[in-house]
């Protein structure tokens, strides 16, 4: 490349860096070639890209890297990440590469990679090996036969798949505000609604794909991005609102009364819906917040199994346990019948059915859960010595029940907390839940005093 390759762009679950300073066309080409060396695919590879202005050029380089290695490519063009996962799984391709930097600002780009059966490449299985091949400057793959590229539009097939997960005849007239954060999901949602002839009125916000992200970081979860969305839901007298990040694999909801709902509570609704639809009863949950999830599974006759945060761990555990669903507090939702992958569109379509069949508003459905299971929200703190802080917490709460599946979880009958260290930054992430809001506030402050002392 003529410049030093920054190894830090090779992350736990994807490759992501500043374009063109950390990630450019030459490096994208080399990543694609290293992908072929590692995966050794026996069949076609699907390649898609998100709305970022740099994505088409990076996609061209990825396709060149694959075809120069003799690999046939299926170019699905601009898509959401869940459309990309669908294409890889539905057509039984040997793997895939998606050009995206998810919810990062416009100056970033990256790659999300899977092998056969939509199995993700992650740190110790794929990404680290690809990084090392590139850092070791391994030779270009030369193939006598250049791979062939074909173009494929997957929007209709994806739309049919998603609408097939619900009883479309049960959906009643609803008005929904959708905030795509300038990604592709508004296009997808509109197409599904029209193709399925659902009686849904969509009100768009930031709904035209625009890879410059004119309003900043395309992440619906950051507090500064919520007011515009919430206010439009209220001013339009919408039944509810739905918001996705730029690549569409994370989803959040807002009630008609303007309550932006933490994914934890939405997941408890989805669990009941998924268990009602299936004879299989296992679901997976992660340890940041647990009580509402465990109770929802029990009430629906299901079995909740804990697994650490991170899509590679969750997907592997879902497969092992034949679990039908997992929802992370981050807004990722995983479905067994979607190749264990995360999908931002499926929860939206399910929500239309849930509200229609219940005859209740999202406020009516969700507020009792919010009131019963108060939480702190994730609070990040910069610390110099993470281990020392965790040791002090253990000593302070020595009579608690501890779990170290992911970070440190401590639990009492009336409150619990999870403290996790960031993999990439000197941060500790705190999440607290309790039986009352007052206890959440007291214990959160108590723990922050230790963490930040």
């Amino acid at each position: 490349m003529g410049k030093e390759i920054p190894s830090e762009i090779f992350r736990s679950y994807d490759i992501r860096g500043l374009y063109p300073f950390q990630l450019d066309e030459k490096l994208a080409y080399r990543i694609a070639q290293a992908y072929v060396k590692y995966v050794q695919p026996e069949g076609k590879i699907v390649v898609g890209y998100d709305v970022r202005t740099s994505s088409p050029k990076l996609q061209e380089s990825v396709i060149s890297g694959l075809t120069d290695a003799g690999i046939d490519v299926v170019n699905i063009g601009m898509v959401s990440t869940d459309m990309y996962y669908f294409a890889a799984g539905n057509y039984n391709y040997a793997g895939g590469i998606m050009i995206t930097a998810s919810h990062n600002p416009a100056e970033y780009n990256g790659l999300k990679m899977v092998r056969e059966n939509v199995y993700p490449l992650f740190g110790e299985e794929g990404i680290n090996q690809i990084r090392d091949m590139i850092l070791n400057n391994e030779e270009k793959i030369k193939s006598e036969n250049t791979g062939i590229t074909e173009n494929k539009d997957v929007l209709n097939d994806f739309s049919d798949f998603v609408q097939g997960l619900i009883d479309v005849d049960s959906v009643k007239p609803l008005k929904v505000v959708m905030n795509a954060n300038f990604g592709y999901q508004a296009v997808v949602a509109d197409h599904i609604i029209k193709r399925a002839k659902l009686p849904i009125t969509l009100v768009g916000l930031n709904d035209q794909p625009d890879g410059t992200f004119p309003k900043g970081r395309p992440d619906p979860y950051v507090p500064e991005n919520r007011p515009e969305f919430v206010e439009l839901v209220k001013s339009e007298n919408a039944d509810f609102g739905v918001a996705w990040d730029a690549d569409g694999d994370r989803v959040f909801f807002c009630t008609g009364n303007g309550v932006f709902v933490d994914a934890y509570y939405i997941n408890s609704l989805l669990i009941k819906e998924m268990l009602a639809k299936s004879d299989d009863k296992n679901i997976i949950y992660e340890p940041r917040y647990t009580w509402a999830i465990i109770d929802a599974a029990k009430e629906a006759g299901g079995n909740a199994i804990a697994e650490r945060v991170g899509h590679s761990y969750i997907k592997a555990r879902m497969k092992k346990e034949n679990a039908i669903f997992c929802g992370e507090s981050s807004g990722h939702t995983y479905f067994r019948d979607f190749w264990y992958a995360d999908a931002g569109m499926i929860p939206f379509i399910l929500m239309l059915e849930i509200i229609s069949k219940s005859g209740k508003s999202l406020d009516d459905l969700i507020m009792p859960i919010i009131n019963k299971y108060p939480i702190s929200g994730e609070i990040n703190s910069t610390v110099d010595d993470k281990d020392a802080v965790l040791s002090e917490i253990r000593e302070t709460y020595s009579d608690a029940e501890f779990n170290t599946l992911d970070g440190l979880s401590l639990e009492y009958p009336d409150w619990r907390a999870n403290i996790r260290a960031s993999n990439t930054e000197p941060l500790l992430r705190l999440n607290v839940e309790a039986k009352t809001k007052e206890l959440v506030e007291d214990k959160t402050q108590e723990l922050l005093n230790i963490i930040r002392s």
Side-chain angles (χ1 to χ4, degrees), residues 227-347:
E228 177 188 39
F229 172 51
V230 169
E231 288 306 314
L232 186 59
V233 172
K234 291 195 292 184
S235 67
E236 286 284 340
N237 292 314
D239 291 285
F240 69 92
V242 59
W244 298 277
D245 63 349
D247 74 322
D249 62 354
R250 292 163 65 232
V251 62
F252 295 91
F253 292 87
C254 175
T255 74
N257 287 337
V259 177
F260 187 93
V261 185
D262 192 287
Y264 175 47
Y265 303 120
I266 294 295
N267 290 337
S268 67
L269 273 186
L270 293 176
I271 282 169
K272 290 183 178 180
E273 181 70 7
M274 295 304 297
L275 287 170
K277 288 174 177 284
S278 176
D279 293 333
D280 298 309
K281 296 302 179 183
N282 286 347
I283 64 99
I284 303 297
Y285 69 98
E286 44 96 341
R288 281 177 283 198
Y289 302 117
T290 68
W291 285 348
I293 302 299
I294 294 169
D295 288 352
K298 284 181 181 177
E299 289 168 16
N303 180 38
I305 301 166
E307 184 50 74
R308 62 184 298 186
V309 173
H311 78 143
S312 56
Y313 304 112
I314 286 170
K315 290 174 183 178
R317 190 63 183 273
M318 286 180 71
K319 195 168 186 177
K320 177 183 177 183
E321 305 289 352
N322 191 33
I324 60 173
F325 175 84
C326 175
E328 288 187 286
S329 301
S330 58
H332 289 280
T333 48
Y334 307 84
F335 299 87
R336 180 193 63 188
D337 296 335
F338 193 68
W339 301 276
Y340 302 101
D342 41 334
M345 191 55 62
I346 293 175

Side-chain angles (χ1 to χ4, degrees), residues 164-184:
L165 298 174
I166 66 167
D167 174 10
V168 294
D169 294 332
S170 73
V171 177
K172 297 176 180 178
L174 295 168
K175 187 178 186 180
V176 181
V177 168
M178 59 172 180
N179 179 8
N181 281 281
F182 300 102
Y184 195 65

Side-chain angles (χ1 to χ4, degrees), residues 111-150:
L111 299 91
K112 291 183 177 179
M113 301 173 286
V114 298
R115 56 189 313 157
E116 69 278 359
N117 301 316
V118 204
Y119 188 81
L121 269 62
F122 55 96
E124 54 266 35
E125 288 190 28
I127 292 180
N128 292 351
Q129 289 84 349
I130 287 172
R131 175 200 64 200
D132 293 344
M133 288 178 197
I134 292 169
L135 293 178
N136 293 334
N137 203 27
E138 292 196 11
E139 289 185 7
K140 173 183 174 180
I141 305 175
K142 297 176 182 178
S143 174
E144 293 181 3
N145 300 310
T146 301
I148 297 169
T149 301
E150 63 180 282

